[in-house]
Amino acid sequence: MALRLRNRWKQGERARTLEDVATVSAANAWRVACNGVLSLENEGFETRTQYQRLDVIEEFVVFLLHLTDHQVYGKFNEEERAKFITAMALRLAGFVEENRADNKAPEDLQHLTPADFKRIFIDKLNARNAVYAECSYSPIEGPGFKLMRAFADWVSDALGPKNREWVIDQILTIEGPEAVEKYTASLDALLAGSDDRAGPGKEGPVRPMAED
């Protein structure tokens, strides 16, 4: 089944806000992450539990959130950019909390609450971004090798030591580039809608989100 991402807006009653775009972007990032995990499993890189799947999903969405910050640079002013990234990060943290709550934790993690996992995710996001910030990114070519390699290493760590080098190669050559292409295309399409209506730094008629 083809991966379906929301990438357009239509006329309606509710005006789109910057938070609306962040919410849609978070949902798209989560879908891309889930698709990445499924693709890895289809290639034989199996996860043992739903909690381990969520560990891998978290690495994907943190990576995609970092790319989002690069993509919106220059499109929003600094206040809007910070507001957008914060809103998207909090929505992703909400997805983490909801999904951890819906699945039984391994015995060694059962003392943690879903809210604990939300906090752990935010700590992880900050730690990963501190490393990603030291890596190169081109608006034209996308993430540099060092950035992709750091992402691949963390996905490999989440999957475990088995077939580590093969996992890293799979991320670098296939899953990483595909995730980048699919997600950034959807975000570009959402942001392009701001060219003819009110939004961050724009003037004109406001258009709301398209429904699924």
Side-chain angles (χ1 to χ4, degrees):
M1 181 181 294
L3 177 63
R4 181 171 178 262
L5 302 178
R6 184 178 294 183
N7 60 10
R8 63 187 178 87
W9 311 91
K10 68 179 181 181
Q11 291 290 63
E13 294 181 356
R14 184 166 65 87
R16 179 186 63 80
T17 65
L18 185 144
E19 287 82 1
D20 287 330
V21 186
T23 296
V24 173
S25 299
N28 282 345
W30 192 269
R31 290 181 182 123
V32 170
C34 291
N35 187 73
V37 174
L38 180 60
S39 295
L40 286 168
E41 290 179 333
N42 287 340
E43 292 298 322
F45 303 110
E46 296 184 357
T47 55
R48 296 181 298 277
T49 66
Q50 184 62 20
Y51 257 59
Q52 188 182 21
R53 291 188 186 96
L54 289 169
D55 290 340
V56 180
I57 288 170
E58 287 183 14
E59 295 299 346
F60 269 86
V61 297
V62 168
F63 172 68
L64 294 175
L65 180 62
H66 180 78
L67 299 190
T68 302
D69 194 31
H70 283 291
Q71 269 189 280
V72 301
Y73 181 79
K75 295 182 174 68
F76 300 159
N77 64 40
E78 285 304 304
E79 181 181 356
E80 291 166 340
R81 179 185 171 201
K83 186 177 181 180
F84 181 88
I85 294 300
T86 298
M88 184 174 168
L90 289 175
R91 187 67 191 106
L92 289 171
F95 288 150
V96 169
E97 184 176 21
E98 293 161 12
N99 280 271
R100 296 291 186 181
D102 288 343
N103 293 277
K104 184 177 180 180
E107 186 173 346
D108 61 333
L109 297 177
Q110 289 181 2
H111 63 289
L112 297 173
T113 68
D116 289 329
F117 283 108
K118 180 179 181 179
R119 173 183 52 78
I120 291 169
F121 171 75
I122 292 173
D123 289 343
K124 178 189 292 184
L125 189 159
N126 290 329
R128 299 291 189 263
N129 274 332
V131 175
Y132 286 150
E134 300 299 318
C135 303
S136 64
Y137 176 90
S138 164
I140 297 174
E141 298 180 358
F145 177 80
K146 185 178 178 182
L147 178 52
M148 289 291 290
R149 178 59 194 247
F151 168 54
D153 283 343
W154 278 315
V155 171
S156 177
D157 289 345
L159 285 170
K162 184 179 179 182
N163 297 324
R164 176 175 171 81
E165 291 304 318
W166 289 108
V167 173
I168 291 173
D169 184 66
Q170 182 75 13
I171 294 295
L172 289 174
T173 60
I174 299 176
E175 308 306 338
E178 287 188 359
V180 171
E181 179 181 3
K182 291 171 182 176
Y183 174 74
T184 57
S186 69
L187 181 57
D188 280 341
L190 289 171
L191 295 175
S194 67
D195 288 343
D196 63 351
R197 46 100 180 117
K202 301 291 182 179
E203 296 180 356
V206 176
R207 299 173 64 186
M209 291 192 303
E211 298 298 327
D212 279 329

